[in-house]
Amino acid sequence: ILMFYLVRWLGRDFVRKYELKHKAIKHLMKSFQKHPFRNIFLLRLFYPLPPEIANVLGGVSEMSFEKYFFASLLGIIPMTLFSVLLVKSYLWQDYTSFLISLIAFIMMLLIPLFFISPLRKIFWKKRE
């Protein structure tokens, strides 16, 4: 919450100046204005990315704090549940639950990749 508000108060003007020069950032901001809840939820669900990315993108965007908070909360819940299930099923030697949690982790890794295309275009630039 603190990072969201710090970025909102201190970083939004900088990003607006940067946005004028780069079309990819402008496209990303438009995507966050159209679907802010979905994008924050998917960023929280995608566990390899640091959580600070969702904080910064939420603070820079025009989304309300309520949407940011509830999308973050709902995005963190599956990760927490399946992490606990993974560890507990391994300790209990319940391999069915272990397999379910592994499949859930794979799904949480793949689903956001298909929905957040503007981020994919920014981070995965073609190399010459």
Side-chain angles (χ1 to χ4, degrees):
I1 293 173
L2 289 175
M3 184 178 277
F4 173 83
Y5 277 116
L6 281 174
V7 170
R8 171 133 315 164
W9 292 327
L10 302 175
R12 191 182 278 180
D13 294 333
F14 174 75
V15 171
R16 285 190 181 145
K17 290 178 187 176
Y18 192 75
E19 181 181 345
L20 297 173
K21 297 177 185 176
H22 301 332
K23 291 180 182 179
I25 301 294
K26 189 174 188 174
H27 184 65
L28 178 67
M29 289 301 125
K30 284 183 182 179
S31 174
F32 265 84
Q33 287 175 352
K34 287 181 184 177
H35 309 286
F37 190 88
R38 180 194 74 179
N39 290 337
I40 293 295
F41 175 78
L42 290 173
L43 282 173
R44 292 289 186 198
L45 199 62
F46 191 64
Y47 56 88
L49 285 178
E52 288 81 16
I53 291 176
N55 297 338
V56 169
L57 289 174
V60 167
S61 71
E62 300 289 329
M63 72 184 306
S64 67
F65 174 73
E66 290 81 18
K67 285 183 182 180
Y68 165 79
F69 180 76
F70 287 117
S72 293
L73 184 66
L74 290 175
I76 291 172
I77 288 173
M79 181 63 187
T80 305
L81 290 176
F82 288 117
S83 296
V84 170
L85 180 64
L86 182 74
V87 172
K88 286 293 190 177
S89 63
Y90 180 75
L91 292 175
W92 293 335
Q93 296 181 352
D94 181 9
Y95 298 112
T96 305
S97 298
F98 187 77
L99 184 63
I100 290 170
S101 61
L102 280 179
I103 291 171
F105 274 113
I106 292 170
M107 296 300 291
M108 287 189 298
L109 183 67
L110 295 177
I111 289 172
L113 289 177
F114 294 110
F115 286 104
I116 305 180
S117 61
L119 276 178
R120 195 172 57 224
K121 289 177 185 176
I122 291 172
F123 291 120
W124 293 346
K125 293 181 180 178
K126 290 183 181 180
R127 296 186 182 179
E128 297 179 39

